[in-house]
Amino acid sequence: MKTKVQLRNVSKKYTLYRTNAEKLKTMFTPKKLKDQRDFYALKNVSLDIFEGETIGVVGINGSGKSTISNILASVIPPTTGEMNIHGETSLIAINVGLNNNLSGYDNIELKCLMHGFSKKGITELIPKIAAFADIGDFIDQPVKSYSSGMKSRLGFAISAHTNPDILIVDEALSVGDRTFYQKCRDKIDEFKAQNKTIIFISHSIGEIKNISDRVLWLHNGEVRSFGEKTAVVKEYEDYIKWFNQLSKEEKDTHKQQLREERAIFEDAPAVAQHKKNKSSLVFWGQLGVCLTAFLVASYFLVVPSLMAALGENNDQDTKQNKDVETSQLENGSRR
Ligand SMILES: Nc1ncnc2c1ncn2[C@@H]1O[C@H](COP(=O)(O)OP(=O)(O)OP(=O)(O)O)[C@@H](O)[C@H]1O
């Protein structure tokens, strides 16, 4: 089986800033550890996805589903880890990929150009995409005037017609109505029949069970389970059931525990030491550069003046010697 997506220890780290001023400050000064609020949106994710597979992705809010879809579609880079994607990806998400200030038509043209279509190809595709999106006169209005369902329709229509190898659908179908949903399902089935790879993110367990071959459960930024769909969906549902039967205090304790697991505190002394080493290295490096610059400047500015001064002295000495010699000669001849 051909591997289409390979992730090895992929992590995405974010820093939360309390204010914009704090963010600005950390750009100029090494941030103090007490201010640090780094956390993993995604932590050490390793997986392989093969050609022709449809992978369903489940997980509670904030578990990292959109982060992984954005990384796979190269919308954002991972902080660390290795990623190999064999083929062209296309992401359909409610708020990603469309330029809000451009009209539907212009967005179609732009996306098609980005996918490498010729002008002629684009002219042929535009009516097909517009017909699939089925948003009427809104197609020539700016996307900012669209409802989320209309954005999703246009996004799906563009992606479905640009022939991607790997289609990533992030919750995009949840905002469309049932007529559009069925159209998208038919298109997804067409893609499956063409042996394309699909990554399908949804909160609807029914949809996930229907569409997927394997299921990935992301939990607190990590892979909790990845494999046969019925087994993984059951594990996920069992977790939801377990969580829902907890008391309010137990739920809060559990959520706090998840936050702590995700926060980058456990290696705090190592980070602090690393930062300390790094900043002292930077300090000595800068000092070294300044000293070298000073010595070079001194060489070129001071040495020529010294040489000139010495030269003048020599001239004066020679002149004085000559004067002495001349007077001695004069005295000698008088004698
Ligand atoms: N740009 C960002 N800056 C800071 N934190 C971010 C950023 N983007 C995402 N996050 C955080 O990363 C974590 C994972 O977010 P993500 O959107 O991937 O979750 P999700 O599983 O898609 O959630 P949902 O089901 O609510 O859509 C969340 O805690 C989120 O707040």
Side-chain angles (χ1 to χ4, degrees), residues 4 41 74 91 97 155-156 163 181 219 249 269 287 290-291:
K4 295 298 272 184
S74 302
L91 169 65
F156 195 97
N163 204 23
Y181 175 79
H219 187 62
E249 289 72 34
L287 196 69
C290 288
L291 271 174

Side-chain angles (χ1 to χ4, degrees), residues 14-16 39 41 59-68 203 262:
Y14 284 115
T15 301
L16 294 181
F39 77 100
I60 57 170
N61 291 137
S63 55
K65 303 182 297 298
S66 295
T67 306
I68 203 171
H203 283 291
R262 212 166 187 179

